[in-house]
Amino acid sequence: MNGAIDLAREGMALAHPNPRVGAIIVRDGVKVGEGFHVYDKLDHAEIVALKQAGDKARGATMYVSLEPCCTTGRTGPCTKAIIAAGISRVYAGMEDPNPAVAGRGLKELERAGIQARVLGGPSYEYARNTNADFAKWIRTELPFVTLKSALTLDGQISARPGKPTQITGKSSLAAVQRLRHSADAIATGIGTVLADDPLLTDRSGEPRRRRLLRVVLDSRLRLPLKSRLVKSSGGDVLVFTTQALESAKARALRKAGVEVFRTRPRNRRGHVCLDTVLAELGRREILHVLLEAGAQLNGAALEADVVDKLVLFYAPKIMGTGGVPFAQISVKRAFPRIPALRDLTVEHYAPDFVVEGYLHDVYGNHRSRRKN
């Protein structure tokens, strides 16, 4: 099962807006077929594995990271193909996260005389975490939000406001590129753009189905026309603002290839409404947003309770007083409300270490829809 889930992760940046799915077919202890889903190639992982196995699928066991689909969309239902191929047993890593269809695929296989169940055990959480972004989006129509930051042991992200500070090492920077590769969009605030002039690109070198959408929250539309973001834009830069779309700056940005989207202010200071941003990104089939921002936007996102996962890269350094904190937020408001991280993991990227954990269970009850 872990092998099937590993295969599913081969569909990173290739499967969305469908879930990442991997499948392995075993007969008499020998692997006879395997595959993972790539959206543009249509075939689901189960079909790829069945085609590879051919006649050897009869009487075999299928391990699939996600419950086989039983509905017709862009392709036919995988359950019918599994039944026709003569598979004897199907073990799924998890049920379909869509509450409207969860369990139906396994029941259809059972009615056809196939032993079918969720395997459970240690691989269960691995399977769920692999498709946490899909689960969030299919149930709420909102993207899964990962907040990533690099900070010192005393929680500082920069020496002073507006001054870029290199904190973590090369191994951590490479890990960040892999994290970007897992996302459909990367979002930041205008303060970070003005301070760092970042490109915000996926430089992992791995293939993508869609270009990483680069999103800037810029209430007063201060994004410089000479910034690297604007100069490198090829239909993959989206700016959310509260300013008029027919202003001279908005027209200039559009002429430079930047899309400008107007939102209502979220507060009296005129900041961009995060709920509107995420709703619009979800409408565009953006399932996973990586937030790489400064203290102000980090704090606003945590306070608004829109962050699903934290990925914090710690350097073994102390910056001391006077630095910029990880999140600009009221202790009285934040500490009682922001939940403790669950499913906590710690990984070493010498000399740094990264702490990951989830703030929300995205598998709760929500309204749902289904992609195929």
Side-chain angles (χ1 to χ4, degrees):
M1 182 57 70
N2 283 341
I5 301 169
D6 288 342
L7 273 174
R9 296 177 72 84
E10 293 291 319
M12 199 77 72
L14 300 172
H16 283 175
N18 277 351
R20 306 177 185 102
V21 185
I24 293 176
I25 299 174
V26 177
R27 180 175 172 177
D28 299 326
V30 177
K31 182 167 61 178
V32 296
E34 67 178 22
F36 63 91
H37 177 55
V38 174
Y39 186 82
D40 287 341
K41 293 183 179 179
L42 292 181
D43 280 349
H44 290 186
E46 299 94 321
I47 305 303
V48 177
L50 286 170
K51 287 181 176 179
Q52 190 178 110
D55 292 340
K56 294 179 181 178
R58 189 159 299 277
T61 299
M62 174 180 285
Y63 297 85
V64 58
S65 62
L66 181 71
E67 175 185 6
C69 68
C70 59
T71 56
T72 299
R74 296 168 71 237
T75 67
C78 289
T79 50
K80 294 192 182 304
I82 292 169
I83 294 167
I87 292 285
S88 294
R89 290 169 297 278
V90 174
Y91 295 114
M94 60 176 288
E95 287 188 335
D96 190 314
N98 186 345
V101 298
R104 287 174 51 195
L106 294 174
K107 288 179 181 177
E108 184 172 316
L109 295 175
E110 288 176 341
R111 286 195 296 269
I114 297 173
Q115 297 179 38
R117 66 179 178 88
V118 173
L119 187 61
S123 61
Y124 182 64
E125 284 303 318
Y126 185 31
R128 282 163 60 95
N129 290 343
T130 296
N131 276 309
D133 44 14
F134 174 78
K136 169 79 177 291
W137 180 73
I138 203 70
R139 290 159 176 253
T140 68
E141 302 184 356
L142 296 172
F144 184 91
V145 178
T146 297
L147 194 165
K148 166 264 166 187
S149 190
L151 56 165
T152 59
L153 293 177
D154 54 345
Q156 311 295 308
I157 61 174
S158 181
R160 63 175 183 267
K163 178 179 173 58
T165 305
Q166 184 63 52
I167 292 176
T168 52
K170 291 183 179 179
S171 295
S172 292
L173 295 176
V176 168
Q177 292 303 320
R178 293 192 293 272
L179 190 58
R180 287 183 180 183
H181 183 66
S182 72
D184 302 313
I186 182 169
T188 194
I190 185 60
T192 298
V193 175
L194 295 176
D196 298 352
D197 193 21
L199 272 173
L200 300 180
T201 51
D202 173 3
R203 298 188 288 279
S204 66
E206 298 297 322
R208 300 187 65 90
R209 189 176 80 83
R210 302 180 289 185
R211 295 182 71 174
L212 182 67
L213 182 65
R214 297 177 287 170
V215 178
V216 182
L217 278 61
D218 182 8
S219 58
R220 290 183 284 159
L221 217 53
R222 293 183 290 158
L223 180 62
L225 294 172
K226 294 183 178 181
S227 66
R228 295 202 296 169
L229 272 172
V230 174
K231 292 201 295 190
S232 64
S233 177
D236 60 343
V237 176
L238 171 61
V239 176
F240 286 91
T241 186
T242 59
Q243 302 300 299
L245 294 180
E246 293 309 312
S247 67
K249 185 61 175 291
R251 290 198 302 269
L253 286 170
R254 287 198 297 271
K255 186 176 180 181
V258 174
E259 182 180 357
V260 182
F261 189 99
R262 188 182 186 188
T263 79
R264 60 181 176 83
R266 79 167 188 266
N267 54 29
R268 294 177 181 176
R269 290 178 289 178
H271 292 155
V272 170
C273 177
L274 291 172
D275 288 339
T276 303
V277 169
L278 294 175
E280 176 60 21
L281 293 177
R283 188 189 67 79
R284 296 176 184 225
E285 298 188 337
I286 298 296
L287 278 61
H288 185 184
V289 175
L290 178 63
L291 182 60
E292 290 191 29
Q296 184 173 319
L297 185 51
N298 286 347
L302 288 166
E303 191 174 48
D305 198 28
V306 299
V307 178
D308 298 296
K309 182 179 182 180
L310 282 175
V311 181
L312 303 177
F313 289 84
Y314 282 93
K317 303 174 182 177
I318 300 294
M319 188 170 288
T321 57
V324 179
F326 157 65
Q328 196 175 83
I329 191 169
S330 166
V331 173
K332 289 183 179 180
R333 289 196 304 267
F335 192 71
R337 291 178 49 209
I338 299 174
L341 295 182
R342 63 176 186 84
D343 296 339
L344 197 67
T345 62
V346 179
E347 195 164 349
H348 193 214
Y349 292 105
D352 312 318
F353 65 94
V354 59
V355 177
E356 296 188 20
Y358 294 82
L359 290 170
H360 298 134
D361 178 9
V362 297
Y363 290 92
N365 294 320
H366 301 285
R367 58 197 173 96
S368 61
R369 58 182 180 168
R370 169 77 188 190
K371 282 285 173 181
N372 190 21

